[in-house]
PDB file of all heavy atoms in Angstrom:
ATOM      1  N   ARG B  49     110.192  81.165  84.536  1.00  0.00           N
ATOM      2  CA  ARG B  49     110.178  82.187  85.611  1.00  0.00           C
ATOM      3  C   ARG B  49     110.583  83.615  85.056  1.00  0.00           C
ATOM      4  O   ARG B  49     111.360  83.726  84.102  1.00  0.00           O
ATOM      5  CB  ARG B  49     111.116  81.848  86.669  1.00  0.00           C
ATOM      6  CG  ARG B  49     110.745  80.533  87.343  1.00  0.00           C
ATOM      7  CD  ARG B  49     111.536  80.149  88.613  1.00  0.00           C
ATOM      8  NE  ARG B  49     110.960  79.059  89.301  1.00  0.00           N
ATOM      9  CZ  ARG B  49     111.380  78.596  90.462  1.00  0.00           C
ATOM     10  NH1 ARG B  49     112.229  79.247  91.078  1.00  0.00           N
ATOM     11  NH2 ARG B  49     110.748  77.589  90.925  1.00  0.00           N
ATOM     12  N   ARG B  50     110.041  84.649  85.716  1.00  0.00           N
ATOM     13  CA  ARG B  50     110.378  86.114  85.195  1.00  0.00           C
ATOM     14  C   ARG B  50     111.763  86.410  85.588  1.00  0.00           C
ATOM     15  O   ARG B  50     112.369  86.025  86.573  1.00  0.00           O
ATOM     16  CB  ARG B  50     109.411  86.988  85.997  1.00  0.00           C
ATOM     17  CG  ARG B  50     107.836  86.842  85.494  1.00  0.00           C
ATOM     18  CD  ARG B  50     106.998  87.730  86.385  1.00  0.00           C
ATOM     19  NE  ARG B  50     105.704  87.694  86.001  1.00  0.00           N
ATOM     20  CZ  ARG B  50     104.844  86.735  86.356  1.00  0.00           C
ATOM     21  NH1 ARG B  50     105.154  85.769  87.281  1.00  0.00           N
ATOM     22  NH2 ARG B  50     103.660  86.832  85.996  1.00  0.00           N
ATOM     23  N   VAL B  51     112.335  87.219  84.680  1.00  0.00           N
ATOM     24  CA  VAL B  51     113.748  87.636  84.923  1.00  0.00           C
ATOM     25  C   VAL B  51     113.820  89.193  84.886  1.00  0.00           C
ATOM     26  O   VAL B  51     113.252  89.761  83.807  1.00  0.00           O
ATOM     27  CB  VAL B  51     114.710  86.998  83.739  1.00  0.00           C
ATOM     28  CG1 VAL B  51     116.035  87.634  83.959  1.00  0.00           C
ATOM     29  CG2 VAL B  51     114.643  85.479  83.827  1.00  0.00           C
ATOM     30  N   TYR B  52     114.218  89.740  85.809  1.00  0.00           N
ATOM     31  CA  TYR B  52     114.415  91.155  85.919  1.00  0.00           C
ATOM     32  C   TYR B  52     115.847  91.795  85.814  1.00  0.00           C
ATOM     33  O   TYR B  52     116.788  91.114  86.279  1.00  0.00           O
ATOM     34  CB  TYR B  52     113.758  91.642  87.261  1.00  0.00           C
ATOM     35  CG  TYR B  52     112.379  91.309  87.393  1.00  0.00           C
ATOM     36  CD1 TYR B  52     111.964  90.040  87.858  1.00  0.00           C
ATOM     37  CD2 TYR B  52     111.390  92.225  87.053  1.00  0.00           C
ATOM     38  CE1 TYR B  52     110.696  89.613  87.998  1.00  0.00           C
ATOM     39  CE2 TYR B  52     110.019  91.908  87.231  1.00  0.00           C
ATOM     40  CZ  TYR B  52     109.659  90.540  87.711  1.00  0.00           C
ATOM     41  OH  TYR B  52     108.336  90.179  87.831  1.00  0.00           O
ATOM     42  N   GLY B  53     116.013  92.914  85.206  1.00  0.00           N
ATOM     43  CA  GLY B  53     117.253  93.576  85.116  1.00  0.00           C
ATOM     44  C   GLY B  53     117.115  94.870  85.912  1.00  0.00           C
ATOM     45  O   GLY B  53     116.053  95.256  86.382  1.00  0.00           O
ATOM     46  N   TRP B  54     118.216  95.636  86.010  1.00  0.00           N
ATOM     47  CA  TRP B  54     118.228  96.844  86.764  1.00  0.00           C
ATOM     48  C   TRP B  54     117.133  97.930  86.272  1.00  0.00           C
ATOM     49  O   TRP B  54     116.544  98.645  86.957  1.00  0.00           O
ATOM     50  CB  TRP B  54     119.574  97.457  86.883  1.00  0.00           C
ATOM     51  CG  TRP B  54     120.481  96.803  87.886  1.00  0.00           C
ATOM     52  CD1 TRP B  54     121.501  95.963  87.618  1.00  0.00           C
ATOM     53  CD2 TRP B  54     120.154  96.812  89.365  1.00  0.00           C
ATOM     54  NE1 TRP B  54     121.850  95.422  88.996  1.00  0.00           N
ATOM     55  CE2 TRP B  54     121.084  96.056  89.962  1.00  0.00           C
ATOM     56  CE3 TRP B  54     119.207  97.433  90.165  1.00  0.00           C
ATOM     57  CZ2 TRP B  54     121.132  95.802  91.331  1.00  0.00           C
ATOM     58  CZ3 TRP B  54     119.309  97.334  91.553  1.00  0.00           C
ATOM     59  CH2 TRP B  54     120.256  96.431  92.134  1.00  0.00           C
ATOM     60  N   PRO B  55     117.120  98.072  84.970  1.00  0.00           N
ATOM     61  CA  PRO B  55     116.033  98.982  84.465  1.00  0.00           C
ATOM     62  C   PRO B  55     114.610  98.689  85.025  1.00  0.00           C
ATOM     63  O   PRO B  55     113.851  99.641  85.325  1.00  0.00           O
ATOM     64  CB  PRO B  55     116.119  98.850  82.907  1.00  0.00           C
ATOM     65  CG  PRO B  55     117.465  98.353  82.666  1.00  0.00           C
ATOM     66  CD  PRO B  55     117.866  97.466  83.775  1.00  0.00           C
ATOM     67  N   ASP B  56     114.459  97.443  85.125  1.00  0.00           N
ATOM     68  CA  ASP B  56     113.083  96.985  85.701  1.00  0.00           C
ATOM     69  C   ASP B  56     112.940  97.358  87.133  1.00  0.00           C
ATOM     70  O   ASP B  56     111.900  97.856  87.551  1.00  0.00           O
ATOM     71  CB  ASP B  56     112.888  95.551  85.480  1.00  0.00           C
ATOM     72  CG  ASP B  56     112.988  95.027  84.058  1.00  0.00           C
ATOM     73  OD1 ASP B  56     112.316  95.728  83.250  1.00  0.00           O
ATOM     74  OD2 ASP B  56     113.588  93.950  83.837  1.00  0.00           O
ATOM     75  N   ILE B  57     114.012  97.304  87.765  1.00  0.00           N
ATOM     76  CA  ILE B  57     114.092  97.592  89.188  1.00  0.00           C
ATOM     77  C   ILE B  57     113.760  99.112  89.433  1.00  0.00           C
ATOM     78  O   ILE B  57     112.989  99.456  90.181  1.00  0.00           O
ATOM     79  CB  ILE B  57     115.413  97.198  89.911  1.00  0.00           C
ATOM     80  CG1 ILE B  57     115.727  95.747  89.645  1.00  0.00           C
ATOM     81  CG2 ILE B  57     115.291  97.533  91.413  1.00  0.00           C
ATOM     82  CD1 ILE B  57     114.736  94.774  90.168  1.00  0.00           C
ATOM     83  N   HIS B  58     114.492  99.894  88.484  1.00  0.00           N
ATOM     84  CA  HIS B  58     114.315 101.335  88.678  1.00  0.00           C
ATOM     85  C   HIS B  58     112.895 101.781  88.334  1.00  0.00           C
ATOM     86  O   HIS B  58     112.316 102.587  89.052  1.00  0.00           O
ATOM     87  CB  HIS B  58     115.192 102.000  87.666  1.00  0.00           C
ATOM     88  CG  HIS B  58     116.677 101.876  88.102  1.00  0.00           C
ATOM     89  ND1 HIS B  58     117.147 102.092  89.279  1.00  0.00           N
ATOM     90  CD2 HIS B  58     117.762 101.578  87.370  1.00  0.00           C
ATOM     91  CE1 HIS B  58     118.508 101.930  89.515  1.00  0.00           C
ATOM     92  NE2 HIS B  58     118.921 101.613  88.258  1.00  0.00           N
TER      93      HIS B  58
END
Side-chain angles (χ1 to χ4, degrees):
Chain B
R49 297 193 173 186
R50 292 173 179 83
V51 178
Y52 299 82
W54 281 109
D56 301 316
I57 308 301
H58 291 314

